[in-house]
Amino acid sequence: MYNFEYQKAGSVADAAKAATGEAKIVAGGMTLIPTLKLRLASPSKLVDLGGIKDLVGIKAEGGGVTIGAMTTHAAVANSAEVKKAIPALADLAEGIGDPAVRNRGTIGGSVANNDPAADYPAACVALGATIVTNKRKIAADDFFTGLFETALQEGEIVTSISFPAPEKAAYQKFRNPASRYALVGVFVAKTKAGVRVAVTGAGEGGVFRKKSFEDALSKNFSAAALDGIKVDAKGLNSDIHASADYRAHIISVMAKRAVAAAK
Amino acid sequence: MADMGIGVSVKRREDARFLTGNGTYTDDINRHGQTHAIIVRSPHAHARIKKINQAKAKAMPGVVAIFTGEDMKVGSLPCGWLIKNQDGSNMVEPGHPPIAQGKVRHVGDPVVVVVAETRQQALEAAEAVTVDYEVLPSVSSLKAATKAGAPLVWDEAKGNICYDWALGDKAAVDAAFAGAHKIVKIDLVNNRLIPNAMEPRAAIGDFDKATGDYTLYTTSQNPHVIRLLMGAFVLSIPESKLRVVAPDVGGGFGSKIYHYAEEAIVTWGAGQLKRPIKWTAERSESFMSDAHGRDHVTHAELALDKDGKFLALKAETLANMGAYLSTFATCVPTYLHATLLAGVYTTPAIWCNVKAVFTNTVPVDAYRGAGRPEATFLLERIVDIAAREMKMDPAEIRRKNFIQTSQFPYQTPVALQYDTGNYDATLDMALKMIDYKGFAGRKAAAAAKGKLRGIGVSCYIEACGIAPSAVVGSLGARAGLYECANVRVHPTGSVSIFTGSHSHGQGHETTFAQVVAEKLGIPSEQIEIVHGDTAKVPFGMGTYGSRSIAVGGAALVKALDKIILKGRKIAAHLMEASEKDVEFKDGKFTVAGTDKAKTFGEVALTAYVPHNYPITELEPGLEEQAFYDPLNFTYPSGCYIAEVEIDKDTGTLEIMRFVASDDFGKIINPMIVEGQVHGGIAQGLGQALLESCVYDKDGQLLTGSYNDYCMPRADDFPNFDVQHTDKPTPCTHNPLGVKGCGEAGAIGAPPAVMNAICNALGVVHMDMPATPEKIWRAANAHMARAAE
Ligand SMILES: Cc1cc2nc3c(=O)[nH]c(=O)nc-3n(C[C@H](O)[C@H](O)[C@H](O)COP(=O)(O)OP(=O)(O)OC[C@H]3O[C@@H](n4cnc5c(N)ncnc54)[C@H](O)[C@@H]3O)c2cc1C
């Protein structure tokens, strides 16, 4: 680890002011601290959001939920509001990492980091969530822009994420046996406006929507509707853990299982 | 001492300190005036070092010294075993400098050592060192290294061959094959593994300006071996001037046997600087600098008669040595592998050829099981294939070929002589444990759920209790493999045991205390087990090859017997009886037929306060030492059976049951033995299902962290049903009748689960690790065949 200054921000405005240039925001630190330990990043300053109470908490709103950026994965997994409105989201949070990670890692950190194998991006995209920052509101479809890339600008801080409630939804994750991140994760949501299917872990550019699945499922929301729809391996990751072909196949299997499990 | 003696599941006394964070590991030790070393390692698999630019780093705050290969011209890190080629010539044995000299030969090869006042300063300065390399062509796999015209790791090793060795009677094998009813074949890869002990390696070198003595604190399984190798071969420091301490060590699995470069670097450097130097590996450094394990490519053939009796076996193996010969690397694929190819079977003729190959990768050496897992995997896979092709039940073809209890001692065609065993007993027990007969029903029930269920049997044997010195000496070992124990009885009757068997997770402090309690009849609080310090323990060859209780325990018994012998003389004098009438039992010396008695404590006190003492016949004091050199290896054996279910859609596998029936002879602490087997099975299943070290074609390590190297986790496995055979066969040639249990799980488990997978899928063979993708592909092919 390189030396850095540490500042505990008292408010989002403070944090935004401090988090410019070489400074970096730290939330749960589950991704950032290991990066620092490996000396892969050398921020001049860490601005800790941990003291900002407004960023923590879950509110039921308009049938959906709004989750503060500093809410931990464990809090989401155990939230009565989330379980009621979007049980699939609580299930997803329950499946992230291990207990230590779930009790430190935050939803804001996860979406801001946009790891291509992370789970939350799939939920955000499939549920049509809105990412709220200190500056604006960004639709999930516009937020995740590439590998570890988001629409966030310098000094922009995620404050909360609003998830409208679907009619039905489910998330199915096929774990990478080593990292236990998603080798393939498929989030299927049936909403009034139609079905949305988001895939994480598999795509070369991170989370993506699977239009052919969405069209088929919008007509007939059943696993059988996906029979015979071929998933193209082009644009999918191929690495020592799995080939692109296998990932393509697993996308179909996970999507079907998600449809069957949707509630 | 019924609560404490042999056969009791005494709780591990060392766990209190480990579980409360009070262990003392090498990195917990800090010496006065200590400096910190960071090692700049090669980013290339093979390159010429053109220039090392260190001026900038030298000027940085806190930097004490920078050492390169030019500065550290010392002896070579030695290889402990000379293997002869088939033509009688010696293996190619290139040098292994602690810091690279002129060339680097694998990613992670040490190039520059930066020493600074703090670790942070050393890290900063190490980043400021730049090295100009001329990158050379490299070979990172057995296949690449053995291709015609492949780049050479060592100019002197033509075709990258270190040795071309063979064991067995080739003519007899060829004759048997010529007359065989059936020949079955297999081509397999025994996947390369990275050991991953919980505690990364660390070393502190210290130099005493007043005496000129060196001390090395290190994460070692065998401090005396390190003192011998480093003192005699690398740094030319006599034993009297060199102390090696291996304090609490957090796991080794073989990877902490070897003498590593960093140990020599910090010891030599401490002498140069006249200050202590500490080095502690980061986890990423462990991945690229700890010796790796396995890495064989094998072709084997088994000849059978029409009844399924094995007539002959031949195997040809390429074994990866990595870039340098690590301490025991050369004996692993030869004398720890080919000699086990008889297994538990009466195969009359066996021939095995092993070619050891240099590659531009980290050295490969013994890893839990060392050669024996490779032999067992080969044998138990090809036997399964034979059963399939002969349309015989896999359990029955094994039983048909077992060495019978009446045949012991049994001379195998590959050098070993098994003293005892009962292979039917462990097979029967395991079949019962898993309800083998009920398998068809369970398979049908699984099929009804859309799952493929399979069962796999594996009967293993291993050669442990390593090893008779004269035997291994005649085979090229450059060391003796006895063990030493010293028993110091203190005046009040408490006892300190000094053993050369190092404990790094095995629970020796408990097991060895049980042996002492049993022999001397004293409570465990009075017994201290000391190990891991050459200044305290007279000598030792260390812990590996499941040798601690079989060899170290035997030395301990010998020393305890000497104590009892002397105690009896003292007691006879005190009780005015003839020595031959004095009995020792439950901590008391008594005279037969009288009520005279002296406790062990009274006798100890007399030895140190010899007022009434046979002083003309006996020295005062009560301390004895013994060396024990085993007469033979020990031969633990057993049967493991795995049952798996496969999800055809994804290739995901679930182990439904795993049963183990082992014969370790006499058992000192059943709970510790069960724990050892559990851990071994987890490692074995890790190899079979999850773990694999991958280098790319340019020699870059792709599995350099836990994101990519898949370590087993508890939820990957069911609870293993581990039981000891109901018909144990105690070892016939050591005083405790023990055989050793540390490696069995890692040896027996891989073929059991791979046989179960092949059985479920109806395929002949699958290489490890059986990843979901591999299984899915095979399941698909299976369904395609079934549809035809
Ligand atoms: C062992 C392990 C296993 C894991 N397994 C999984 C898994 O299975 N699935 C999964 O999805 N994730 C997994 N993770 C990642 C985990 O979910 C992290 O917690 C998450 O990715 C980052 O959240 P954090 O709060 O820890 O963020 P930090 O590490 O503190 O920050 C991450 C990045 O986001 C930025 N950031 C943080 N908060 C904000 C904000 N409010 N606004 C703007 N930028 C911000 C930081 O500057 C930094 O760049 C795992 C992590 C570990 C260590």
Side-chain angles (χ1 to χ4, degrees):
Chain A
M1 207 179 275
Y2 297 95
N3 289 336
F4 53 81
E5 270 179 58
Y6 173 84
Q7 180 182 342
K8 191 157 193 171
S11 67
V12 173
D14 273 2
K17 203 149 39 128
T20 51
E22 297 293 293
K24 244 188 162 343
I25 294 223
V26 63
M30 291 292 95
T31 296
L32 187 56
I33 303 295
T35 315
L36 299 184
K37 279 167 115 178
L38 287 168
R39 295 168 82 86
L40 295 173
S42 50
S44 56
K45 182 194 258 186
L46 286 195
V47 181
D48 188 352
L49 301 183
I52 309 173
K53 298 241 162 16
D54 307 352
L55 294 181
V56 184
I58 297 166
K59 272 189 275 198
E61 272 177 356
V65 287
T66 294
I67 303 177
M70 286 300 288
T71 309
T72 63
H73 309 328
V76 173
N78 295 317
S79 154
E81 289 86 355
V82 178
K83 282 184 185 168
K84 184 156 169 264
I86 318 173
L89 190 59
D91 288 350
L92 173 148
E94 180 66 41
I96 296 176
D98 51 49
V101 169
R102 289 196 290 277
N103 281 300
R104 289 286 314 166
T106 68
I107 190 168
S110 181
V111 300
N113 192 50
N114 193 19
D115 187 307
D119 299 304
Y120 271 128
C124 292
V125 170
L127 291 166
T130 303
I131 289 73
V132 183
T133 75
N134 56 335
K135 297 188 176 157
R136 56 190 168 138
K137 294 182 174 182
I138 310 167
D141 278 332
D142 304 325
F143 183 83
F144 302 102
T145 52
L147 291 184
F148 300 100
E149 298 282 342
T150 67
L152 289 174
Q153 296 158 357
E154 182 166 306
E156 190 167 17
I157 293 172
V158 177
T159 53
S160 67
I161 299 160
S162 291
F163 295 92
E167 286 173 22
K168 283 175 161 192
Y171 179 61
Q172 290 284 319
K173 175 178 184 177
F174 191 89
R175 286 184 169 75
N176 175 320
S179 72
R180 301 263 175 118
Y181 276 72
L183 190 82
V184 170
V186 180
F187 202 111
V188 174
K190 182 169 191 282
T191 68
K192 284 195 194 71
V195 176
R196 292 168 67 100
V197 178
V199 179
T200 187
E204 282 174 351
V207 64
F208 65 90
R209 282 174 66 182
K210 191 78 201 131
K211 284 279 184 217
S212 56
F213 284 11
E214 292 182 353
D215 294 345
L217 291 171
S218 292
K219 284 191 206 114
N220 170 14
F221 193 77
S222 74
L226 300 180
D227 283 345
I229 305 183
K230 216 177 127 35
V231 178
D232 195 345
K234 221 172 87 211
L236 300 186
N237 292 323
S238 193
D239 53 33
I240 58 170
H241 302 290
S243 67
D245 282 346
Y246 181 66
R247 280 190 167 88
H249 168 74
I250 294 296
I251 289 173
S252 291
V253 177
M254 292 298 116
K256 286 181 190 172
R257 289 184 182 176
V259 171
K263 56 179 191 260
Chain B
M1 286 294 118
D3 61 330
M4 178 59 201
I6 290 175
V8 183
S9 285
V10 178
K11 291 240 169 81
R12 300 185 0 145
R13 47 154 79 180
E14 46 269 79
D15 284 350
R17 80 171 183 276
F18 295 149
L19 297 177
T20 54
N22 286 302
T24 301
Y25 297 88
T26 299
D27 191 53
D28 294 324
I29 295 170
N30 291 297
R31 305 296 300 165
H32 182 69
Q34 176 175 288
T35 62
H36 298 262
I38 293 292
I39 297 177
V40 177
R41 296 178 183 275
S42 169
H44 302 295
H46 197 192
R48 203 181 307 282
I49 302 169
K50 289 197 341 205
K51 188 156 182 276
I52 296 172
N53 311 298
Q54 43 171 296
K56 189 171 158 218
K58 255 201 172 121
M60 286 174 69
V63 172
V64 177
I66 294 181
F67 300 124
T68 67
E70 283 303 302
D71 303 310
M72 191 181 176
K73 297 259 190 213
V74 297
S76 175
L77 301 172
C79 175
W81 205 303
L82 173 71
I83 300 294
K84 300 263 185 196
N85 290 307
Q86 292 196 63
D87 66 9
S89 60
N90 288 349
M91 68 185 188
V92 178
E93 193 173 359
H96 186 182
I99 308 180
Q101 307 268 350
K103 265 188 188 180
V104 289
R105 289 186 168 82
H106 67 85
V107 169
D109 213 353
V111 182
V112 182
V113 179
V114 177
V115 184
E117 297 291 344
T118 69
R119 183 175 165 83
Q120 190 66 24
Q121 288 169 333
L123 275 166
E124 308 282 344
E127 266 168 27
V129 172
T130 57
V131 183
D132 301 338
Y133 293 101
E134 177 196 340
V135 177
L136 302 170
S138 63
V139 286
S140 57
S141 67
L142 286 166
K143 199 166 156 209
T146 50
K147 246 202 208 131
L152 294 183
V153 181
W154 296 98
D155 294 340
E156 59 266 47
K158 299 289 165 254
N160 288 314
I161 299 295
C162 170
Y163 57 73
D164 177 347
W165 171 95
L167 179 71
D169 185 341
K170 180 138 196 317
V173 167
D174 287 344
F177 269 83
H181 165 76
K182 179 147 220 117
I183 293 169
V184 294
K185 301 180 184 183
I186 190 170
D187 282 288
L188 65 86
V189 173
N190 203 291
N191 45 326
R192 182 175 177 123
L193 304 175
I194 304 179
N196 281 299
M198 204 185 290
E199 180 205 19
R201 285 190 300 114
I204 306 168
D206 201 352
F207 178 76
D208 186 329
K209 279 180 280 200
T211 60
D213 289 354
Y214 291 84
T215 303
L216 168 69
Y217 302 85
T218 182
T219 47
S220 176
Q221 302 178 208
N222 31 237
H224 289 86
V225 175
I226 303 305
R227 184 181 66 170
L228 183 70
L229 295 177
M230 184 174 78
F233 298 98
V234 188
L235 301 182
S236 303
I237 305 171
E239 285 94 332
S240 56
K241 290 269 156 210
L242 177 58
R243 173 182 172 202
V244 178
V245 183
D248 284 331
V249 174
F253 311 111
S255 72
K256 292 175 182 165
I257 299 173
Y258 326 117
H259 176 36
Y260 283 98
E262 296 84 357
E263 295 171 322
I265 290 169
V266 297
T267 308
W268 172 85
Q272 298 289 305
L273 300 177
K274 312 280 187 270
R275 287 183 69 181
I277 304 178
K278 175 188 269 190
W279 168 82
T280 302
E282 305 210 341
R283 185 58 71 178
S284 3
E285 237 179 328
S286 306
F287 276 99
M288 62 167 103
S289 69
D290 291 2
H292 293 177
R294 318 277 192 258
D295 206 344
H296 284 193
V297 172
T298 297
H299 173 79
E301 299 185 11
L302 179 68
L304 297 101
D305 74 9
K306 63 180 188 343
D307 300 321
K309 279 286 255 185
F310 307 155
L311 301 175
L313 175 76
K314 62 181 167 195
E316 284 160 287
T317 287
L318 296 177
N320 200 338
M321 295 284 107
Y324 303 96
L325 296 181
S326 175
T327 311
F328 283 127
T330 52
C331 78
V332 175
T334 50
Y335 292 107
L336 292 177
H337 169 246
T339 50
L340 269 299
L341 287 175
V344 289
Y345 309 116
T346 53
T347 317
I350 299 172
W351 181 76
C352 179
N353 169 227
V354 178
K355 292 192 183 81
V357 180
F358 290 111
T359 59
N360 293 108
T361 64
V362 176
V364 181
D365 206 325
Y367 170 63
R368 200 171 192 171
R372 291 152 294 169
E374 295 89 317
T376 305
F377 187 70
L378 183 173
L379 199 55
E380 289 304 283
R381 280 275 43 247
I382 203 166
V383 164
D384 238 50
I385 297 171
R388 178 191 159 98
E389 295 199 9
M390 297 293 291
K391 302 202 171 21
M392 288 174 72
D393 180 272
E396 289 320 306
I397 198 169
R398 287 176 166 86
R399 192 190 297 283
K400 193 176 199 96
N401 286 283
F402 278 164
I403 300 160
Q404 300 300 307
T405 48
S406 58
Q407 289 175 280
F408 294 104
Y410 181 81
Q411 179 62 51
T412 74
V414 273
L416 298 178
Q417 192 188 75
Y418 303 162
D419 61 336
T420 181
N422 185 343
Y423 311 132
D424 277 304
T426 46
L427 174 64
D428 286 341
M429 187 161 170
L431 292 175
K432 211 164 123 207
M433 284 163 76
I434 201 136
D435 179 23
Y436 193 70
K437 290 205 188 84
F439 173 71
R442 297 192 293 277
K443 188 178 171 77
K449 296 183 295 178
K451 297 273 173 85
L452 299 171
R453 191 159 177 133
I455 194 164
V457 178
S458 151
C459 294
Y460 75 90
I461 187 165
E462 45 171 338
C464 295
I466 290 172
S469 295
V471 174
V472 294
S474 72
L475 302 177
R478 289 161 167 164
L481 287 168
Y482 46 79
E483 195 47 88
C484 170
N486 181 287
V487 178
R488 181 175 301 160
V489 180
H490 302 288
T492 62
S494 68
V495 176
S496 294
I497 303 297
F498 301 89
T499 169
S501 299
H502 189 273
S503 187
H504 35 277
Q506 296 88 346
H508 293 170
E509 290 170 34
T510 305
T511 307
F512 281 47
Q514 286 180 255
V515 173
V516 179
E518 174 88 20
K519 292 287 288 184
L520 298 185
I522 57 175
S524 82
E525 308 82 72
Q526 306 234 358
I527 305 162
E528 177 200 24
I529 306 293
V530 181
H531 61 88
D533 186 345
T534 62
K536 294 183 183 166
V537 179
F539 205 74
M541 291 308 293
T543 293
Y544 39 84
S546 304
R547 69 192 300 273
S548 291
I549 199 66
V551 188
L556 175 59
V557 168
K558 271 186 75 179
L560 290 167
D561 283 340
K562 291 187 190 177
I563 293 283
I564 295 167
L565 192 69
K566 184 167 178 183
R568 185 185 275 127
K569 288 191 208 294
I570 299 169
H573 178 85
L574 287 177
M575 297 187 286
E576 295 171 343
S578 153
E579 191 194 326
K580 67 179 191 322
D581 295 332
V582 175
E583 280 176 11
F584 181 64
K585 211 179 153 223
D586 295 336
K588 270 204 192 94
F589 294 93
T590 53
V591 180
T594 73
D595 60 357
K596 287 186 188 173
K598 289 285 167 196
T599 64
F600 182 72
E602 287 173 297
V603 167
L605 191 65
T606 307
Y608 287 95
V609 187
H611 295 168
N612 174 15
Y613 199 80
I615 202 75
T616 52
E617 294 149 43
L618 217 55
E619 291 170 18
L622 194 52
E623 174 162 349
E624 296 288 350
Q625 180 164 314
F627 278 68
Y628 176 80
D629 201 295
L631 295 171
N632 190 353
F633 294 85
T634 62
Y635 300 97
S637 61
C639 177
Y640 292 176
I641 306 182
E643 215 168 297
V644 302
E645 271 187 18
I646 288 167
D647 171 353
K648 288 179 289 206
D649 293 339
T650 59
T652 315
L653 168 125
E654 189 180 353
I655 302 173
M656 310 307 288
R657 299 274 323 266
F658 193 100
V659 304
S661 155
D662 299 287
D663 182 356
F664 299 128
K666 186 103 176 148
I667 288 183
I668 311 293
N669 183 319
M671 177 197 73
I672 288 181
V673 168
E674 190 182 340
Q676 288 288 310
V677 177
H678 269 257
I681 292 172
Q683 270 174 307
L685 296 180
Q687 166 165 30
L689 304 176
L690 304 167
E691 296 181 52
S692 188
C693 168
V694 184
Y695 280 96
D696 73 9
K697 65 171 186 11
D698 299 319
Q700 292 297 326
L701 181 60
L702 298 184
T703 48
S705 84
Y706 293 127
N707 268 338
D708 293 309
Y709 189 83
C710 187
M711 287 298 283
R713 291 154 165 100
D715 67 354
D716 287 316
F717 307 132
N719 192 27
F720 309 134
D721 187 357
V722 172
Q723 293 189 32
H724 193 228
T725 175
D726 48 3
K727 297 189 186 92
T729 60
C731 172
T732 60
H733 56 79
N734 65 42
L736 288 167
V738 292
K739 295 183 175 179
C741 67
E743 296 162 294
I747 293 169
V753 74
M754 293 308 298
N755 286 346
I757 292 170
C758 292
N759 174 255
L761 295 172
V763 300
V764 176
H765 179 67
M766 178 179 292
D767 275 326
M768 301 183 288
T771 59
E773 176 165 358
K774 265 190 217 165
I775 294 176
W776 171 72
R777 288 188 185 283
N780 266 3
H782 172 78
M783 284 183 292
R785 272 197 313 277
E788 272 163 19

